Structures are given as C-alpha cells and as structure tokens.
Amino acid sequence: MIDPALREQALARFGALGYPQRGDEAFKYTNVAPIAERAFAPGEPGEPRAATLPGLEAAMVFVNGHLAGRGASPYVAPLGAPEHRALVQAHLARVAAFEQFVFCAENTAKATDGALVHVPAGTSVEAPLHVRFEARGGAGYPRLLVVAGANSRVQVVEHHTGEGEGLANAVTEIVCGPGASVHHVVVQDQAPSAFHIGRVAVRQDRDSRFVSHHLTFGAALSRTDLRVCLDGEGAECTLEGAFALGGTQHADNDTFVDHAKPGATSRELYKGVLNGRSHGVFTGRVLVRPGATQTSAQQSNPNLLLSKSAHVDTRPQLEIHNNDVKCTHGATIGRLDADSLFFLRARGIDFVEARRLLVAAFGGEIAERVAVPGLCEWLYERIAAVGGAQ
Amino acid sequence: MLEIRNLHARVGDHDILKGLSLTVNPGEVHAIMGPNGSGKSTLAHVLAGREGYEITEGEVVFEGRNLLELAPELRARAGVFLAFQYPVEIPGIGNAYFLRTAANAIRQARGLEELDAADFLRVMREKLKLVKLDEKMMQRSVNDGFSGGEKKRNEILQMALLEPKLAILDETDSGLDIDALKIVGDGVTALRSPARSFIVITHYQRLLDHITPDFVHVLYQGRIVESGDASLALELEKHGYGWLEKAPAR
Ligand SMILES: Nc1ncnc2c1ncn2[C@@H]1O[C@H](COP(=O)(O)OP(=O)(O)OP(=O)(O)O)[C@@H](O)[C@H]1O
Ligand SMILES: [Mg+2]
C-alpha cells in the first residue's frame, strides 16, 4: 500500500523528529508526553462492533487501522488495491507531507491498511461515503485518501470511535480536482480514556470547493491538524468545527489555510463548548502568499465556558504578504448569558435543560450544516449534551 | 394567594426595596405605579427568583409556601409568571420549540400529559389569535429581531400558554402602539378569572383603561406609599409624583 522506500524515509523522519517537547510552539498548549510515555504497542485486528452513525451506511470499516469490513460502494477501495496503484502513488504522502510532522511520519511508517475514495471526473456521488475507524487499545494508524476528479462532487464522513485507552494516529489526504466539490466530515468520538491524533491535509485545484465539518467529542487527549492549501485560482474552502468537552478532556484543534493562489476564499468557524475541567485549544493560522492577490479570508472562534475550571486557549495567526486581501478574524471566550438563563427558568424550564438549550443555540448550527439527515440531529444532541450534563 | 411582608432587598450595598408589604387575593388585579427607579422591576424580579438580589428582611408567601426559597423554575411551576419589561432575545432557540418546552415543563408539574408537536400546534394557534401574532414568527428564534411590540405580545402569548395563577406584568404596555395596547389589554382581560391574579406594573393610565384594576399602589423609594382603587391611577395621571417628595412615607 505504501511504497517501502517511502516507509523507510518516514520511519527515519519519525526517529529524527521525535515527539514534540515542551517549548515546541506548535504544541504550546498541548502536552503529548502521556502518549510518548505509554509507548503503545501496535493494535490487533478485530471484528467491527461499533454502532454506525445515524443516517449512514459504512462503506469501509477498520479496527485498529486494519481493514475489517466493506460495503458495496464502487467509489471506495482499499488503499492497496492493485487497480488503483498509480492513483495512490500519485497522491499518497504527497498531500500530507511528513518531513516536519512527527505523527504524520509515524503514521506513514506504520499504517497497515487504508481507504481510497476515488471519484472520477464529472461524477456526482449522491449518498455520503462513510468510513469508520474503530480503536480498541494499542496503537492504530488510520489512513484515508480522497481523490475527487475534475468537476466531481462527493461527501465523505469519517467516524473515529472505539473502546479502551489506545492511540489512534490518523492521516487523511484530500485532493480536490479543478471545479470539484468535496464535503468532508470528521466525527471524533473516541472512548473517554483514549488518545487521538489526526491530520487532514487538503489540496485544492482551481475553482474547487471544500467544506469541512470537524466535530470533537471524545478522547482524553486529542490533537487535530487541518491543513488546506488553496492551490488554484478561485478555490474556496469553508472550515467549520465544534469541540464539545467535559470532565478533564483536552482537545487541540489546529488549522492552517495556505492561500497560495489568487482569488481564493476561506471561511472558518470553530465553536468550543467546555464544561468541567476541560481544556480546549484553537489555532487558526492563515498564510497569504505574495502572489495570492484578491484573497478573502475570514476566521472566527467563539467559545462558551460552562464551568469555572474549564479553559480555552485560542490564537489566530495571520501572515499576510500582499495588500490585496480582505481578512477578518475574531475569537471570543464567554459564559452563558445570565439573562437568557433566567428567562428560560422563569418559564418553568429547569436549570440543566435551560443550559442544554442555550448550548445547542450556541453550537447547534455547526451540526445542522453537516447536511446528513439523521446525523445532524444526532450531532446536535451531542453538542447540547455538554450543557445538559449535571 | 400572595403575601409580601416587610420585604427588604438590596443589590451590593444599594438598598432597593425597603419594607414593602402587599397582599394579593385570588382574582384580584393590582396595579403598581411609581417613578423610575422606585423598585418596581426589582420587586418583579425578586418574586420571579432572579439571582443577584439579597433579601435582608421580610418574607413572601405564595399559596402557603415560602416563595423566596424556590428556584425560578419551581416558582414558574407553582404558577408565578413574569412578563419581562425587557424580554430577552435568544438566537438559536426556535420560538415554537421554546414555548412547547416551557408549556410541557409546567404541564408536567401540574400532573398533566405532555403535548406532542401536533397537539401543541393546535393550542398555540388558538392562543396566537388572542395576541394577533403571525404563526410564522413562531419559527423564528425567541424574540430574535422581534419589534418591541411583538416581544411584548410574545410575553402575553407565553402567559396565555402557561396559564399562571399569578401573573406579574412589568411595563408590558410600554413601547406599544394603540392597537397593540388594546391587544395586550384584551389578552389580559380574556385571561382574568376568579382564580387568577395579576400584578400590573405600569406608568400609564391607558393600559388600565383596558384592564380595570381592583387596587392601585404607588411604589416610591422601595415602599408602597399610597394605595387606592382605580381612581388613584387617574389622580396620578393628573398630578404626577411630585407630591411624594412632601408626603411622609407610610
Ligand atoms: N443589579 C443592580 N445593580 C445596581 N443597582 C440596581 C440593580 N438593579 C436595580 N438597581 C437600582 O435599583 C433601583 C430600582 O430599579 P428598578 O429597575 O427596580 O426600578 P423601576 O421602578 O422598575 O424603574 P423603571 O420605571 O425605570 O422601570 C434603580 O435605582 C436601579 O438603578
Ligand atoms: Mg422597571
């Protein structure tokens, strides 16, 4: 599946880079020492047993990164399928370059199986394509490659779930051909004691449209990197996410939009809801290169803290290298509005339910825009549930 | 029904209510008037259970229960309703969904069956006629982008749906045009019953033209300094509150 020479290189980089240490700016608010300390052994293959997300049918299921089941979709194949060899070689580990990223290098060195979503030019795939990755303890290295041909259209829903205290280190690469439209959804719903590392790397050709919805509910410690390279004129991306945390969870969402070509648009909206003693991190880096004139970039990260001990760090990072740019950004950290809470309670709605409604009002829009009937409602309730916890 | 005895309330070190007493019997309508800042909204908030007020003295008994120790939602379920002077806008919560959640919370407390979406729609349509609000507004977020008058009519709609025993209307008439004033007045009149009482806080006689109060009280500097029948409101309309400066507080 992955070329042996490439694996060698990746393994060497993994060894040379080592896990991020204190003082690593990219991991300023996230300490991954607990992952390094545990030195997870590779996870075993197994039978699928997690529930399928509402409104979806799984096209492929992996257990600890091992292929464990597949449906009938003609657009989804194992990464190692001989008939797709050329396509995979052309893109794998090229969109998600691993030279600087230790977890990505480790995944590239150790991934066992993976899924390929390939949509031929001009094809519109109606039903969402759904891939589930189950973690069962030990380390798994989920790998997904999406290649959307010119003017094609597809929605891909990635679900990370599982049991136990293992590590999932996932890498997804997405290639949007000219004029292609890709809607990518990630639902990170790992077990409460699990660790999750994710990298989604996207390359967009001209006039393509990429929409991402990234929902973080699970894992004790998670870090997700989403990198989008707007590598063609007129490309557009919308990156939306919600992290709904409680207990002692820690979730770090790091996004990077690279405006490499003129006339591209990026919109970003991440919403955090934090209860208990949870800690959320959002980094929104936007790079506008010298030649990327007529760029429009928007970014917003509102956060809602439900408890005194919950905490969020948010940092917009804009690097703009030309003058022909429209750029806005804003981050807020707020608490529930006391007037709204009193208003609802004065109508007989109990405190917990009122808080649940207000959390849904704050974060629910992200779930609604996932646009999969059944799944939207489920995600909406999951976000609201952080407010509904006692 | 409601017995307020020597109520003292403060915010921080600012005394607002300074020995307020008031008795409301079933079926009675009490109007409370008084200059800006005299403590009318504070009284309404304290009765509904808003946080931030310290009760330093006195008691409030509602149908035999100590109202002050109940959470706001329990007061609402016991039958206390406050129509807010400034209704809150809550983007992201649909008005109809909010109304049904509230109605069902109250119904449950009364041992009634919850209304499903279809049943609720029927009840809501009935009540919408009373306040002449368009059903389309119910699909919007709670009070979000509603005009001042629409917000106030939405408060009356909530009152009609929740069927309280004691309704406190805090300046529900301010900001209303003449037609809306009549709608609110008629809405309240339609809900009057021998078992339901009202405390109507207002600055103007014009609402009282529609709702004839049994008693009118003047609240001044945190105390009720004058009580009378409906004619007192007319007196106040004529003479204003200047005389209060000279009158000894009772
Ligand atoms: N949270 C608060 N903090 C400080 N002062 C307050 C607070 N709430 C009310 N007050 C003060 O208490 C006094 C009474 O306020 P209240 O809102 O009860 O008056 P009101 O009679 O309703 O006036 P209006 O007719 O203008 O509505 C005012 O002087 C007000 O500034
Ligand atoms: Mg007031």
Side-chain angles (χ1 to χ4, degrees):
Chain A
M1 166 181 98
I2 296 173
D3 190 70
L6 200 61
R7 277 202 198 274
E8 287 285 310
Q9 282 174 35
L11 194 61
R13 277 315 283 163
F14 169 58
L17 288 166
Y19 284 130
Q21 303 289 318
R22 258 175 204 291
D24 185 329
E25 196 47 33
F27 283 79
K28 185 170 178 188
Y29 301 109
T30 297
N31 178 11
V32 293
I35 294 177
E37 279 158 20
R38 264 161 242 237
F40 292 99
E44 300 290 323
E47 289 296 309
R49 59 178 181 231
T52 303
L53 288 174
L56 294 168
E57 257 176 75
M60 209 165 264
V61 182
F62 296 82
V63 172
N64 284 332
H66 300 277
L67 182 59
R70 61 180 300 193
S73 173
Y75 305 106
V76 183
L79 262 183
E83 66 271 31
H84 297 297
R85 205 161 167 235
L87 187 70
V88 170
Q89 275 201 335
H91 298 292
L92 196 73
R94 294 184 198 278
V95 185
F98 56 75
E99 282 72 18
Q100 295 169 52
F101 306 111
V102 63
F103 288 108
C104 186
E106 185 176 14
N107 174 295
T108 309
K110 300 181 180 173
T112 45
D113 292 320
L116 168 70
V117 172
H118 57 100
V119 184
T123 306
S124 276
V125 182
E126 288 308 321
L129 301 175
H130 176 40
V131 181
R132 182 167 78 244
F133 296 99
E134 298 184 25
R136 295 275 182 76
Y141 302 94
R143 189 95 196 188
L144 174 64
L145 171 64
V146 178
V147 183
N151 301 312
S152 67
R153 187 186 179 86
V154 67
Q155 182 176 23
V156 179
V157 182
E158 232 182 274
H159 182 202
H160 295 274
T161 182
E163 306 157 22
E165 306 186 355
L167 164 70
N169 171 356
V171 174
T172 295
E173 295 171 277
I174 299 174
V175 181
C176 302
S181 172
V182 176
H183 186 174
H184 181 235
V185 179
V186 177
V187 180
Q188 192 273 83
D189 194 21
Q190 300 282 17
S193 312
F195 298 88
H196 184 90
I197 302 286
R199 170 169 296 266
V200 179
V202 184
R203 200 180 62 227
Q204 290 189 246
D205 212 322
R206 68 178 161 74
D207 297 322
S208 64
R209 186 175 147 73
F210 175 71
V211 178
S212 165
H213 285 99
H214 209 112
L215 295 115
T216 301
F217 302 120
L221 170 60
S222 69
R223 158 71 178 233
T224 305
D225 286 76
L226 170 58
R227 298 172 74 85
V228 177
C229 182
L230 294 158
D231 202 16
E233 286 192 29
E236 258 185 61
C237 72
T238 300
L239 313 181
E240 298 188 325
F243 40 102
L245 310 173
T248 57
Q249 281 184 291
H250 178 105
D252 184 343
N253 277 271
D254 193 293
T255 67
F256 175 37
V257 180
D258 181 352
H259 280 268
K261 294 282 157 64
T265 302
S266 65
R267 289 178 216 95
E268 211 173 344
L269 173 65
Y270 268 69
K271 290 191 165 185
V273 183
L274 299 99
N275 204 351
R277 294 195 287 132
S278 63
H279 183 190
V281 182
F282 174 78
T283 303
R285 194 172 152 217
V286 177
L287 169 64
V288 182
R289 294 186 190 262
T293 50
Q294 306 226 299
T295 286
S296 163
Q298 277 173 36
Q299 183 185 98
S300 156
N301 171 229
N303 295 285
L304 181 60
L305 301 182
L306 299 180
S307 78
K308 285 206 171 62
S309 328
H311 180 65
V312 69
D313 288 294
T314 171
R315 44 175 187 174
Q317 298 179 333
L318 309 179
E319 295 166 46
I320 300 170
H321 298 289
N322 79 65
N323 292 326
D324 187 8
V325 169
K326 262 196 234 132
C327 217
T328 62
H329 69 91
T332 58
I333 300 173
R335 298 193 179 272
L336 277 187
D337 179 49
D339 289 340
S340 303
L341 200 56
F342 174 60
F343 182 76
L344 295 174
R345 296 178 77 190
R347 295 297 177 254
I349 300 170
D350 71 49
F351 173 75
V352 171
E353 176 64 8
R355 199 168 72 165
R356 201 185 70 83
L357 288 174
L358 291 173
V359 167
F362 171 79
E365 62 171 333
I366 303 292
E368 279 159 3
R369 293 207 284 268
V370 165
V372 178
L375 180 60
C376 290
E377 292 77 6
W378 187 83
L379 294 170
Y380 185 93
E381 289 303 324
R382 288 297 304 269
I383 294 170
V386 173
Q390 293 289 337
Chain B
M1 166 173 284
L2 179 75
E3 186 79 46
I4 305 173
R5 290 190 207 107
N6 191 30
L7 186 63
H8 290 251
R10 63 195 306 187
V11 174
D13 56 7
H14 183 51
D15 291 310
I16 303 173
L17 300 182
K18 302 169 196 165
L20 186 147
S21 297
L22 178 68
T23 302
V24 178
N25 293 309
E28 290 177 354
V29 176
H30 292 246
I32 295 186
M33 306 180 80
N36 295 132
S38 56
K40 302 181 299 294
S41 292
T42 301
L43 172 64
H45 289 149
V46 166
L47 293 178
R50 189 196 188 99
E51 279 170 24
Y53 302 96
E54 189 194 343
I55 309 301
T56 52
E57 229 185 301
E59 60 178 352
V60 179
V61 179
F62 178 71
E63 298 208 304
R65 297 164 81 179
N66 176 359
L67 196 65
L68 298 178
E69 64 183 26
L70 298 181
E73 56 268 39
L74 298 182
R75 300 185 196 197
R77 292 174 197 177
V80 176
F81 178 90
L82 167 62
F84 285 64
Q85 180 173 3
Y86 303 108
V88 183
E89 296 187 12
I90 315 182
I93 300 182
N95 209 19
Y97 184 80
F98 155 67
L99 294 173
R100 180 153 75 94
T101 307
N104 280 337
I106 302 275
R107 288 180 67 89
Q108 207 183 20
R110 292 184 186 152
L112 299 171
E113 227 174 278
E114 291 194 13
L115 297 173
D116 65 20
D119 286 341
F120 177 74
L121 192 63
R122 219 169 310 119
V123 176
M124 187 178 74
R125 281 189 178 139
E126 197 56 43
K127 309 289 185 189
L128 276 170
K129 282 187 215 146
L130 192 68
V131 294
K132 301 199 168 60
L133 276 176
D134 190 338
E135 195 178 320
K136 282 199 203 93
M137 300 199 71
M138 300 300 111
Q139 299 317 316
R140 285 167 49 186
S141 292
V142 177
N143 291 326
D144 192 18
F146 285 25
S147 74
E150 287 165 347
K151 284 180 186 168
K152 296 299 178 83
R153 280 187 278 158
N154 199 21
E155 294 291 289
I156 299 300
L157 173 66
Q158 289 158 48
M159 176 171 79
L161 278 166
L162 303 183
E163 303 182 331
K165 291 177 185 160
L166 171 67
I168 304 155
L169 311 186
D170 189 0
E171 294 198 28
T172 303
D173 53 339
S174 34
L176 295 184
D177 65 30
I178 293 162
D179 292 341
L181 192 69
K182 184 169 184 322
I183 291 169
V184 167
D186 290 349
V188 172
T189 304
L191 291 167
R192 274 184 87 155
S193 88
R196 183 172 294 136
S197 312
F198 290 85
I199 295 176
V200 180
I201 296 169
T202 181
H203 285 294
Y204 306 105
Q205 168 60 33
R206 46 180 205 177
L207 178 65
L208 303 180
D209 289 341
H210 296 279
I211 315 166
T212 313
D214 299 302
F215 302 93
V216 175
H217 310 277
V218 179
L219 182 56
Y220 180 64
Q221 294 187 345
R223 249 174 300 202
I224 287 178
V225 294
E226 188 75 47
S227 296
D229 60 16
S231 65
L232 177 56
L234 295 166
E235 289 292 312
L236 293 170
E237 188 97 330
K238 249 189 258 154
H239 303 297
Y241 295 112
W243 56 275
L244 286 170
E245 316 259 321
K246 289 149 232 155
R250 285 193 305 174

